[in-house]
Amino acid sequence: MHLPRSAPSRLVLTAALAAATAGAWAQSTEPVRVGLLSTLSGPGAGLGVDIRDGFQLAVKLNGGKLGGRPAEVIVADDQANPEVGRQTADRLIKRDKVDFMTGIVFSNVMLAVGTPTFQSKIFYISANAGPSQYAGEQCNPYFFSASYQNDNMHEAVGKTVTDKGFKRVALIAPNYPAGKDALTGFKRFYQGEIASETYTALNQLDYGAELSKLRATKPDAVYIFLPGGLGINFIKQFVGAGLSKDITLFGPGFSGDEDVIKAVGDPMLGMFNTSQWGHDMDNAANKKFVAEFEKEYGRLPTLYAAQGYDAARLMDAGVRDSKGKLDDKAAVKKALEAAKFDSVRGAFKFNTNHFPIQDYYLRVITRDAKGRVTNRTLGTVFKNHADAYAANCKMPGL
């Protein structure tokens, strides 16, 4: 979907405002305005598109409403650029007067957007970015994560790689906040030797130098956190260089997600990854989400789509359980903290820092009964896992 850079694209998900009825909330005919600011261009565009599609699907299935009020979703492209993100967020807050913000993929953009959002007393519901800063000392009452804290999936892979007996592992991640959180998380639970630790450019698509380094250091496994187009290019080049014959590849759910699988195909077979969600999870909310997503978009949903969907569901609960009184910030905060919605990942609850306490699973890429190359959930790595930064969060008041 092409979006002009000059202004957000407005998507009104209701045909008309419903007429007020007896006993309805006084504000019920006023739309809930959501600023969905995400990466919709460049190598990370697929991630933002999936967040957008998952969020919009949830609103559509909810009759075009959030918490019983009409929903107006204003979509904008941050171009994976912190300054563009900050400027666009400023417009969404001041000009469009949004009630909520969501959608950001990359943590460096999230850190830039957070300040003006929180200062304006706008609740931000994260559908992906989970920087360690917001989990710890910079935690904020207006920030809620419907996804994960950046370190968590990587911690699960670190434990998995240790449990599988790999002794020397090379690490590769982009040089930005989430990349650093990723490798910190991996090392927190990995007990072997780090053969090398490499940080690449966030928009890098050629990994010749990194592959030469792997060939020279000869690790027995490599762990990558390379989301979207970055992971697609790395895996193709890694397999093409013949390194997959001697080095086992691991990644978080992002680097082994359905978008990467679709682009790479059979070379992904056998790759292990971890996630708090899988499209094969056996609960009613997830079965409905996966079926409706495939019906609406003609593809399997990714983790990003699942998080966008849950972000909308959490937002719906926040509006509903505050009786639609969005000016009552304390009531909205209490409703969001209660998180009374059916998550696609099953049980969902917040820690004191507004990040989820949740299970993390090991997945493997295999061929399913329909012949598709896709993920299959193998088992649980962590139960009720909390992030490492919550103890540093002294949650301020509103």
Side-chain angles (χ1 to χ4, degrees), residues 253 257-258 273-283 285-287 289-290 300-303 306 344-346 359-363 374-378:
D257 214 340
E258 302 304 317
N273 63 90
T274 60
S275 177
Q276 77 273 22
W277 172 83
H279 65 73
D280 57 351
M281 291 182 71
D282 189 13
N283 66 72
N286 191 53
K287 288 180 177 180
F289 161 63
V290 174
L300 280 170
T302 62
L303 174 62
V344 297
R345 72 201 79 175
D359 298 346
Y360 288 85
Y361 305 95
L362 179 63
R363 308 188 305 184
T374 187
N375 274 293
R376 177 165 57 89
T377 303
L378 295 176

Side-chain angles (χ1 to χ4, degrees), residues 46-118:
L47 316 183
V49 165
D50 269 17
I51 288 173
R52 179 200 67 195
D53 289 354
F55 189 96
Q56 291 185 339
L57 177 64
V59 175
K60 179 179 179 179
L61 294 176
N62 206 37
K65 296 181 179 182
L66 289 170
R69 289 175 52 176
E72 181 180 344
V73 182
I74 306 167
V75 178
D77 183 9
D78 62 32
Q79 303 170 38
N81 183 308
E83 182 57 24
V84 171
R86 188 196 62 76
Q87 291 177 2
T88 308
D90 197 55
R91 290 201 300 270
L92 289 166
I93 292 165
K94 294 179 179 177
R95 186 186 70 187
D96 297 296
K97 300 187 184 306
V98 297
D99 300 296
F100 293 94
M101 289 280 290
T102 191
I104 291 174
V105 176
F106 296 101
S107 288
N108 55 338
V109 180
M110 183 68 249
L111 291 169
V113 166
T115 298
T117 303
F118 306 151

Side-chain angles (χ1 to χ4, degrees), residues 338-349:
K340 293 181 179 178
F341 73 102
D342 293 327
S343 169
V344 297
R345 72 201 79 175
F348 186 99
K349 62 181 177 180

Side-chain angles (χ1 to χ4, degrees), residues 4 23 26 29 31 33 83 115 117 131 150 198 219 226 231-232 243 249 287 298 315-316 336 339 373-374:
T29 57
R33 294 183 176 89
E83 182 57 24
T115 298
T117 303
N150 282 349
T198 304
L226 296 168
I232 291 168
L243 291 171
L249 181 64
K287 288 180 177 180
M315 208 176 288
D316 175 64
L336 290 171
V373 178
T374 187

Side-chain angles (χ1 to χ4, degrees), residues 157-195:
V157 186
K159 183 179 187 302
T160 298
V161 173
T162 297
D163 291 347
K164 289 185 175 296
F166 290 92
K167 305 299 184 184
R168 294 184 73 249
V169 178
L171 310 179
I172 302 174
N175 188 17
Y176 80 117
K180 294 176 181 178
D181 285 349
L183 299 194
T184 296
F186 181 92
K187 291 185 290 184
R188 188 175 288 123
F189 282 84
Y190 176 64
Q191 298 176 4
E193 176 189 348
I194 303 300

